[in-house]
Every structure is written in structure tokens, then in C-alpha cells.
Amino acid sequence: MAKIIVEVMLKDEILDPQGQAVSAAMVRLGFNFVTGVRQGKRFEISTASTPTSDQVKEIEKAAETLLANTVIENFTVRVEG
Amino acid sequence: MKIGVVTFPGSLDDRDAARAIERAGGQAVSLWHNSDDLKEVSAVVLPGGFSYGDYLRCGAIASFAPIMQSIVIAANHGFPVLGICNGFQILCESHLLPGALTRNHELHFLCRDQKLRIENNNSVWTSGFKSNQEILIPLKNGEGSYQCDDAVLATLEGENRVIARYIGEDPNGSRNLIAGISNERGNVVGLMPHPEHAIESLTGPSDDGLTFFTSILHSLVGR
């Protein structure tokens, strides 16, 4: 079994109020060196065997159309294991 | 005149939208997400709610429903569509409208009566409003912050496509206090606040919302 990992993050210029709330909580808990947090999503997509490069390209298409909204988000795709 | 209201799994305001259409003098027709049949309606309302539990992103999964495939094709040929709240999010995810709706800047779910200014009364959904008319209708959402890049914002403002703007304190961090926008042609309108909850003073803060529904009926009859 192998996994394709898709990570989705808000673009830098898009306000991330969740990340800001997490960042504020970390500072409150004493992690004073933290200067900021951005929160994103990670998708672990399982395949029966190591995916072919065509299959990875298919997942890139899925990331672009479904998993990420490219108006506000960026994504990365990589194979793991 | 028949106006469709789509029910997705998790839609909440489809009944109120249907009631608003009927009260305005139209015939509301229930449309089902899992069918591509528009049942010969002359316009469609995408109602508020939490389609597919807001999983992934608000409106993202609904935008791939069979009924949306028909609506996207029709809308690109001038078919009138009004998306309210979750409906607005679905229109953005379907790329019928530019931009995206993100988490309210203060992170709170908001539910309150909200003043708006109708800034474009040329669309088929707002033609019954006076120019710059101020209205009061409910706003209730967690992800209502309208975001887009500078180029899209300049286009929306330059082409007078901001349909409605929040008045007073910024409720959710929307760029330029945008509460609603239209597509280039003006047939597709997305609105974050809820006109269907303000159609009579008994149950709403005003009856200002009814004008969205009388506007579309007048526009359709006038064709």
C-alpha cells in the first residue's frame, strides 16, 4: 500500500483567523517564541500499490478541482511510502 | 411563473425560500440535488444551510451535484440564479461567481439583523429596489467573509457588480464590506444575508427581503 499526500494551505495573503486564534492560544500557554500559526489541511489518499506518474497527475487534477479552492488556497502533492 | 428551489442534503432554508417565492406571487418548484432536471423553471434559488455538512469547504461538494451541472450550463446562457448564504458559497465554488467566502474574521457564528445598502438595482433580482435603498434582513453564518484578489475586486467595483454592501460595523471581514455580488451578465447573484427570512413583519425584522422575489417575477414577466 502507498499513500499520496495532498497538503492544502490558505494563500499567504488570505486572512487565517483560525491560525491566529491558535497562535494566540499558544502564546497564552507559554510558548512565547511563537510568532504566528497558519492552519491547513492534509489529505492521505491510499492506493493499492505505488502510484504511477499518471495517477499522481490525476490526483493533482483532483486537488485542483476538489480538494483545494485555488482562489484562496495553494496545494502540494507527493507520494509517501 | 415557476421558480425552482434546490434542496441539497443539509439545506435549511429551502422551505422559507419557497414560501417567499409564493408570497411574492410565484410558483415554487422543489428541485433535488441528485437530479439534473430543472423541471422547466424560469429561475432558481440556491438556499442557505450546510450542504454536505460544510465538509471540505462550504459549498464545495454541492457544487459537483448533478443539479449544479444543469444550473451552470443554464446560468452561462442567462438563466437567473440567486444564491443565498450557502447558495452564495456554492456559486463561488462552481465558479459562476468570482472569489470565495471564508471564516468570519472574529471566528464567531453571527446571527443578527443586518443593515445593507442595495448598490445595484439593475439586476433581475434587485430591479424592484430604489437606487441605494437601505434594507434590514437577517445575517446568519460562520463563513461569510468575502475574499478575492485585488484585480477581481477592481473589476467588481468598476463594473458595478457589488449588489449589496454592509452598513455600519464590519460584520465578518468581507473585502470592501461586500454582502452580495453578481456575475458579468447580471443574471447570477450571490448574497450572504437572508432575504427569504424578511418577507413579512410578523416573522422577520422587515419585509424588505420580499423585493428580491418580486423583482425576479417582474423581470421574468417583462421578457
Side-chain angles (χ1 to χ4, degrees), chain B residues 30-90:
Chain B
S30 195
L31 301 178
W32 187 238
H33 69 100
N34 204 19
S35 159
D36 60 4
D37 184 4
L38 291 174
K39 297 188 180 171
E40 298 182 335
V41 295
S42 302
V44 153
V45 175
L46 302 178
F50 302 87
S51 58
Y52 296 89
D54 277 352
Y55 294 167
L56 190 60
R57 293 178 305 277
C58 303
I61 299 177
S63 70
F64 293 102
I67 196 76
M68 285 310 300
Q69 311 308 307
S70 300
I71 288 173
V72 168
I73 292 167
N76 285 328
H77 288 91
F79 180 76
V81 182
L82 173 65
I84 302 167
C85 193
N86 190 222
F88 187 7
Q89 294 162 341
I90 294 168

Side-chain angles (χ1 to χ4, degrees), chain B residues 92-181:
Chain B
C92 287
E93 285 285 346
S94 309
H95 305 298
L96 283 173
L97 292 175
L101 291 138
T102 62
R103 193 64 71 100
N104 293 345
H105 69 332
E106 302 282 358
L107 283 172
H108 298 291
F109 188 97
L110 289 179
C111 184
R112 69 187 201 196
D113 298 332
Q114 175 70 44
K115 260 192 174 175
L116 307 176
R117 188 182 304 108
I118 302 295
E119 299 213 347
N120 177 341
N121 62 350
N122 296 318
S123 86
V124 289
W125 295 98
T126 53
S127 55
F129 289 104
K130 291 194 279 288
S131 177
N132 289 320
Q133 186 174 337
E134 294 188 5
I135 67 170
L136 182 70
I137 64 176
L139 175 71
K140 48 159 196 160
N141 62 67
E143 307 207 9
S145 180
Y146 181 76
Q147 300 299 321
C148 60
D149 62 29
D150 292 343
V152 169
L153 191 65
T155 304
L156 290 173
E157 295 287 359
E159 295 178 356
N160 194 25
R161 284 164 54 189
V162 176
I163 291 286
R165 223 183 284 273
Y166 301 114
I167 298 175
E169 195 190 336
D170 179 5
N172 52 28
S174 292
R175 295 203 74 179
N176 289 15
L177 294 170
I178 286 174
I181 58 169

Side-chain angles (χ1 to χ4, degrees), chain A residues 2-46:
Chain A
K3 271 182 189 161
I4 305 172
I5 307 295
V6 179
E7 283 176 344
V8 177
M9 291 297 295
L10 279 173
K11 290 180 179 174
D12 290 341
E13 65 270 25
I14 302 292
L15 183 72
D16 177 15
Q18 291 186 99
Q20 288 176 347
V22 173
S23 176
M26 290 190 75
V27 172
R28 262 200 316 277
L29 289 171
F31 303 101
N32 295 319
F33 57 92
V34 173
T35 56
V37 175
R38 303 281 291 173
Q39 183 177 325
K41 295 187 190 112
R42 172 186 159 107
F43 299 87
E44 298 184 351
I45 299 163
S46 303

